[in-house]
Amino acid sequence: MNQLTALSRRSFIVGSGSFAVGVSFGLNGAQLAQAQAADFNPNGWVNIAANGTVTLMSPAAEMGQGTMTAMPMLLAEELDLDWSKVKVVQAPGNPKVFGNPRFGGGMVTGASRTVQGYYEPLRLAGAQVRLVLLDAASKAMKVPASELRTDKGRVIHTSGRSMGYGDIAKVAQVPNELPKVDKSMLKPMRDFKIIGTNLPRVDVASKSNGTAKYGIDQRLPGMLWASVLRAPVHGETLVQVDDSAAMAVPGVKRVVRLPYGVAVVATSFHTARKARDLLKPEWTRTSKARNHQTQKVLTDYLARAENLQDKGVEFFSHGQVSKSIAEAKKTFSATYTSHMVSHICLEPMNCTAKVDGDKIEVWAPSQSPSFIIGALSGAAGFKPENITVNITLLGGGFGRRVEPDYALDAALVAKAMPGTPIQVIWTREDDIAHDKFRPLTGQHLVATVDAQGKLTGLLHRVVSEGIYARVAPPAFKASGGKDSPVLEGTEVTYGIDNHAVQFMIEERGVNAGFWRAVGPGYTKFAIETLIDEVAQGVGSDPLAYRLQLLEKTPRGAAVLKEVAKMANWGRALPAGRALGLAYSDAWNTFVGMIAEVSMENGQPRVHQVWAAVDCGHALQPRNIQVQIEGSVMFGLSAALHERITLKDGEPQETNLNGYSILRASEAPLVHVNVMPTDNHPGGIGEAGLPPIAPAVANAVAKLTGKRLRSLPLTA
Amino acid sequence: MVSLTVNEKKVSVDAAPDTPLLWVLREQFNLTGTKFGCGIAQCGACTVHVDGEPVRSCSVPLASVAGRKVTTIEGVMQTRTGKALEAAWNKEQTPQCGYCQSGQIMSAANLLNKNKALLSRTEILQALSGNLCRCGTYNQIASAVSSAQKTLTGSKA
């Protein structure tokens, strides 16, 4: 206890309001772990060790988007750290300490909110710690703080004398009153030394030689594997099961009944899976999902989208769309559909858990410790304070890993076998059948123009299953039934005087969930193809028409002008090729995109893609380029190939032989120009996705004269 | 008991003969660099070399590799080709989530071991089209393979 008290005098908390960043000086690894574990020392965002090594916590899940490098960069920038002495550690699953202000303090990685949420708080904290270091150095060097500056982990006096942060950490005492900081004291963009540079991502080295550890690679002494059988359709529960054949398989240790399925536990995953196939379960037959026939649902949604009398819930409205329709010189109406799509995180869902008395520890490739704690304290009956969540690397996330279902599997099985570590692995078939799909949608849009061809109004109607409605019912209810992830992307930075968005929710029993760029993946598809059609209809160039709509959005106009320059918009193309343009402003990031397309065997083939991106302060420009490129590939995959078809509620695509995703041979060249501006950063993990499908569809319209209005694109 | 060679070491395995090689490698030998992706030889995440030929270890029963030489990502990393690929993967900052990359490197190693003439981007992407990457790093993979090939053949990068 003495040691811990001493530790606490060497640590302090900076920050304001609900966001606090804990700092400690001179702790070694073991002390650091101890300090983090101790309740009274709520945190360890930053530790400056006596040898100058600075350990920084990464609060978000690393799923390939580069957050494990980006978050520490923010602290390092304002602290003037020597990056070569920075060590990054994945933060423990403790939302009270590491929660994202943009998720109400929840530890959730998604919706392009990590940099957006932590950007200012972490920089302010870094600036404040720097002032503490300056103060301590001023006392140690016996010089006024005003004569000191910082650079690369050292405090430097005007005389040239200097002290490394490690040496300061040895003698530093936490002042009684911490120095105050505010936004005006943050470094201006021109002084950035770390933000805006292409530091190697901290997770790349281990991912380049097979040593990176994902959730599925977790190993514990005495660990057993489990495979879980669920009902063939969403929403059914287990009535009974005959497990005699499964139990007879050599290596099977246990069959555990779960409220929603049956788990087989064995000495190897292969054995567990083989035995699980021998279970004879009886499921309830009450789920609505059993009536889900994709074609029928699609027809219903289309009819509802086009039925203007059914006004649903107003998501937002400004101006008076009904008036703009009544007074329009011309209207353009179109109906759009998008099929359900699956995530296909290449690492199938999995989780490892161990129960010790009333305590549980889990190792999860998860986007959300907060959701896991919620599920384990609810459905598995553990007290939140008895739950330890370790976040591993994620082999893909894309919104799927916000859900805690796979962690609940592991927790329930581990609870039935206290003391035995259990690793649950989903097969790819499980992963697809029990996915939370991007919902099937029907959209109907009406655009109005005046005599000059100017866009005067836009009515945008979306029919879909809800996402918040399932994942966060109280928040959904409190919002008045506005399902924001479903409708994301309907807000636009185009100047449209009369604009209304209506949402007609459907409840067909099949789970809809977050997906990479979930809403904007289909809402921007509809908006951007319709704008193109309007431009064509009024005899305007699609670029010029959009630029006119962006007169009051200079950042949007700038990315469109830049991408037009990159692709040489307007040039003559070889026969059979066309360029298509689209724009996205989702997640406070502006993207102009152009795709070069031809038709092959009646299907679009994408040869090259150009993108100009303004995400404000660009933390890691090279990473932004590849994130945009990656989301282009993800969106292209969905636009060209992906579709889940349900028959009596059962997905007909069961594995990657029936559900195709984009292969290397289909990859277009992608050219990305990152255009940093002096603005708060926007999101970059999803921003490239919304414009790719409409850019391709707009090019196809030029080639064939036919407007494609369904996702996936079927010519 | 099945005897085989894994990364140049002779080993014996006590497992059901129908157990896919993938799970033997991951569970019995703790060679977790080889990944499970689909279980039906569609995604390439589980690619290993058997007697120098790339195979999808999720679909290779243990019994069929008796007496044969299996090389995993851990083994390939000890070779000149593997080291060149690792360096190129780092240089190009290729991985995003990284889960597919072991399989990509295994297929790339096979490609480079068999092709001395410099490969174009299109040829590389065609050759690696059996390895899925959900993050969409295909172009970075192609650049890295090309860069590694130049290192290996001594031509200017």
Side-chain angles (χ1 to χ4, degrees):
Chain A
M1 207 53 213
N2 282 340
Q3 197 193 355
L4 287 180
T5 312
L7 291 181
S8 71
R9 281 210 310 270
R10 305 270 296 149
S11 60
F12 58 103
I13 292 169
V14 296
S16 56
S18 61
F19 191 82
V21 164
V23 183
S24 48
F25 286 146
L27 305 191
N28 62 32
Q31 289 169 325
L32 188 61
Q34 197 179 8
Q36 278 157 18
D39 284 345
F40 65 85
N41 182 352
N43 116 39
W45 268 100
V46 180
N47 175 52
I48 301 173
N51 67 3
T53 300
V54 180
T55 305
L56 301 176
M57 285 291 162
S58 171
E62 178 56 68
M63 45 192 173
Q65 81 281 43
T67 191
M68 210 170 187
T69 311
M71 290 298 102
M73 283 172 80
L74 302 177
L75 285 163
E77 179 67 71
E78 296 294 338
L79 256 164
D80 275 333
L81 295 183
D82 175 356
W83 186 257
S84 69
K85 292 187 175 168
V86 169
K87 194 178 150 217
V88 179
V89 174
Q90 181 69 45
N94 185 348
K96 273 187 207 146
V97 176
F98 299 105
N100 183 342
R102 288 256 177 129
F103 278 113
M107 248 177 122
V108 181
T109 308
S112 287
R113 287 192 212 171
T114 304
V115 169
Q116 295 198 75
Y118 290 100
Y119 190 64
E120 257 175 21
L122 281 185
R123 289 181 61 205
L124 283 168
Q128 206 171 11
V129 178
R130 179 179 164 273
L131 292 179
V132 173
L133 288 167
L134 277 176
D135 177 68
S138 136
K139 288 183 181 120
M141 295 166 87
K142 299 192 171 54
V143 293
S146 60
E147 294 175 8
L148 296 172
R149 65 184 176 92
T150 52
D151 188 37
K152 285 203 175 138
R154 299 193 76 79
V155 175
I156 303 157
H157 183 244
T158 45
S159 68
R161 277 200 298 144
S162 72
M163 257 181 114
Y165 286 1
D167 291 328
I168 299 171
K170 282 182 207 158
V171 298
Q173 289 296 322
V174 178
N176 289 331
E177 197 172 336
L178 289 170
K180 299 269 183 293
V181 287
D182 61 56
K183 274 202 276 187
S184 70
M185 295 158 79
L186 295 177
K187 280 189 195 174
M189 185 182 173
R190 64 175 179 276
D191 290 347
F192 287 164
K193 291 174 192 158
I194 290 174
I195 293 174
T197 62
N198 291 316
L199 296 169
R201 275 175 43 206
V202 299
D203 54 323
V204 160
S206 70
K207 291 175 175 177
S208 297
N209 61 19
T211 60
K213 297 287 180 237
Y214 299 83
I216 203 168
D217 302 324
Q218 183 64 38
R219 295 291 181 266
L220 293 168
M223 190 175 89
L224 298 176
W225 278 272
S227 182
V228 176
L229 179 67
R230 285 174 152 79
V233 299
H234 293 184
E236 302 290 17
T237 55
L238 183 69
V239 178
Q240 57 178 355
V241 61
D242 173 359
D243 62 11
S244 48
M247 282 300 292
V249 175
V252 170
K253 294 289 184 187
R254 200 56 199 269
V255 172
V256 180
R257 283 157 182 75
L258 309 174
Y260 48 80
V262 191
V264 177
V265 184
T267 50
S268 84
F269 175 69
H270 176 66
T271 305
R273 180 189 179 169
K274 215 164 57 169
R276 158 228 161 131
D277 290 343
L278 301 173
L279 292 168
K280 295 188 188 73
E282 184 193 336
W283 307 105
T284 54
R285 300 195 59 87
T286 53
S287 172
K288 266 193 236 182
R290 294 209 185 254
N291 298 318
H292 201 116
Q293 321 294 349
T294 290
Q295 200 48 51
K296 167 81 170 71
V297 171
L298 198 66
T299 308
D300 291 355
Y301 280 25
L302 287 186
R304 195 169 177 198
E306 290 175 353
N307 174 14
L308 301 185
Q309 300 311 309
D310 178 353
K311 295 188 189 315
V313 168
E314 185 174 89
F315 184 56
F316 70 80
S317 172
H318 59 253
Q320 250 187 301
V321 164
S322 53
K323 198 159 163 260
S324 77
I325 292 175
E327 293 172 359
K329 169 78 178 168
K330 195 172 175 190
T331 61
F332 294 82
S333 302
T335 304
Y336 298 86
T337 60
S338 68
H339 275 278
M340 288 181 187
V341 285
S342 183
H343 296 83
I344 318 288
C345 301
L346 210 55
E347 178 192 18
M349 298 302 111
N350 68 86
C351 183
T352 307
K354 188 183 177 194
V355 168
D356 179 9
D358 57 2
K359 293 188 168 58
I360 182 165
E361 183 165 10
V362 299
W363 292 261
S366 164
Q367 289 175 249
S368 178
S370 288
F371 275 68
I372 291 183
I373 292 167
L376 268 50
S377 59
F382 292 93
K383 289 183 180 160
E385 61 270 29
N386 289 340
I387 302 168
T388 303
V389 181
N390 305 286
I391 299 300
T392 65
L393 288 174
L394 281 62
F398 315 121
R400 176 61 181 87
R401 286 191 151 102
V402 171
E403 312 271 349
D405 44 0
Y406 50 92
L408 184 59
D409 285 358
L412 291 173
V413 177
K415 194 180 176 186
M417 301 179 73
T420 303
I422 301 292
Q423 182 168 89
V424 169
I425 301 175
W426 288 25
T427 62
R428 178 58 62 193
E429 290 83 0
D430 295 337
D431 192 88
I432 293 179
H434 303 289
D435 201 355
K436 324 287 182 185
F437 308 110
R438 184 177 81 178
L440 184 150
T441 65
Q443 300 179 77
H444 182 71
L445 279 72
V446 182
T448 62
V449 298
D450 63 16
Q452 287 73 47
K454 182 177 180 284
L455 190 68
T456 52
L458 181 64
L459 173 65
H460 191 161
R461 295 166 50 77
V462 181
V463 182
S464 170
E465 193 81 22
I467 298 175
Y468 266 6
R470 175 181 65 82
V471 177
F476 171 73
K477 225 177 143 191
S479 76
K482 298 179 179 181
D483 206 305
S484 44
V486 170
L487 298 159
E488 195 164 31
T490 53
E491 286 160 305
V492 294
T493 47
Y494 289 132
I496 304 174
D497 291 341
N498 305 287
H499 188 188
V501 176
Q502 296 167 347
F503 174 47
M504 280 62 65
I505 195 166
E506 290 279 342
E507 290 167 308
R508 305 282 184 135
V510 176
N511 295 329
F514 305 102
W515 203 76
R516 196 171 191 176
V518 57
Y522 47 82
T523 59
K524 293 292 189 204
F525 170 65
I527 295 167
E528 287 299 309
T529 50
L530 185 64
I531 294 278
D532 220 72
E533 200 170 335
V534 172
Q536 188 190 27
V538 301
S540 179
D541 173 76
L543 171 66
Y545 199 72
R546 285 180 173 84
L547 288 175
Q548 197 183 18
L549 289 169
L550 290 168
E551 266 172 356
K552 288 179 183 156
T553 310
R555 294 174 69 192
V559 295
L560 281 179
K561 284 180 192 161
E562 176 62 20
V563 78
K565 207 159 77 184
M566 290 167 71
N568 195 5
W569 178 257
R571 73 185 142 108
L573 285 146
R577 297 265 176 120
L579 300 181
L581 174 71
Y583 166 70
S584 174
D585 48 16
W587 311 284
N588 303 307
T589 290
F590 299 84
V591 183
M593 189 172 287
I594 292 175
E596 182 180 339
V597 181
S598 66
M599 298 302 287
E600 278 178 20
N601 304 319
Q603 288 298 314
R605 165 99 196 178
V606 181
H607 303 272
Q608 292 195 78
V609 177
W610 295 266
V613 182
D614 170 5
C615 62
H617 291 173
L619 271 63
Q620 313 170 75
R622 179 168 162 164
N623 185 50
I624 293 166
Q625 286 179 331
V626 295
Q627 287 303 309
I628 296 296
E629 177 166 340
S631 45
V632 163
M633 301 289 183
F634 205 94
L636 189 57
S637 180
L640 296 180
H641 301 304
E642 298 181 36
R643 177 204 311 242
I644 290 286
T645 318
L646 299 174
K647 194 178 164 203
D648 301 331
E650 288 189 43
Q652 301 302 292
E653 297 79 10
T654 58
N655 201 323
L656 294 171
N657 49 355
Y659 190 90
S660 295
I661 68 174
L662 193 84
R663 291 188 176 273
S665 50
E666 303 170 285
L669 278 168
V670 182
H671 316 274
V672 182
N673 191 356
V674 178
M675 306 161 64
T677 55
D678 196 6
N679 288 292
H680 191 285
I684 55 114
E686 309 178 273
L689 193 146
I692 185 63
V696 173
N698 291 337
V700 170
K702 281 193 198 168
L703 289 168
T704 67
K706 191 179 163 198
R707 290 279 165 190
L708 303 185
R709 300 197 178 107
S710 308
L711 289 174
L713 302 170
T714 36
Chain B
M1 276 292 188
V2 175
S3 297
L4 66 157
T5 303
V6 175
N7 296 335
E8 315 224 316
K9 234 171 77 184
K10 282 198 177 356
V11 293
S12 295
V13 187
D14 183 13
D18 69 339
T19 307
L21 175 60
L22 167 67
W23 299 108
V24 173
L25 294 170
R26 291 183 51 82
E27 294 176 1
Q28 309 248 353
F29 300 113
N30 204 23
L31 293 168
T32 55
T34 307
K35 301 302 189 202
F36 169 51
C38 69
I40 58 164
Q42 289 289 311
C43 76
C46 67
T47 305
V48 300
H49 298 171
V50 174
D51 294 337
E53 291 299 320
V55 299
R56 307 300 189 221
S57 65
C58 71
S59 302
V60 172
L62 174 63
S64 76
V65 292
R68 301 175 73 181
K69 283 185 184 169
V70 175
T71 309
T72 68
I73 180 79
E74 290 86 354
V76 158
M77 278 300 134
Q78 306 306 314
T79 66
R80 184 168 168 261
T81 307
K83 287 182 205 299
L85 287 165
E86 181 184 12
W89 247 245
N90 272 292
K91 180 177 145 233
E92 298 293 331
Q93 294 278 292
T94 298
Q96 289 186 24
C97 93
Y99 193 77
C100 73
Q101 300 294 347
S102 293
Q104 303 281 2
I105 291 171
M106 293 304 284
S107 293
N110 173 63
L111 184 68
L112 295 190
N113 287 341
K114 289 182 181 154
N115 289 277
K116 302 305 162 195
L118 286 185
L119 295 158
S120 69
R121 168 182 176 273
T122 310
E123 287 167 331
I124 294 168
L125 291 177
Q126 198 64 47
L128 297 185
S129 62
N131 289 79
L132 295 175
C133 172
R134 189 56 158 157
C135 301
T137 66
Y138 295 129
N139 284 316
Q140 289 71 48
I141 290 170
S143 302
V145 172
S146 179
S147 159
Q149 193 182 30
K150 284 166 188 160
T151 305
L152 289 167
T153 55
S155 44
K156 283 238 179 245

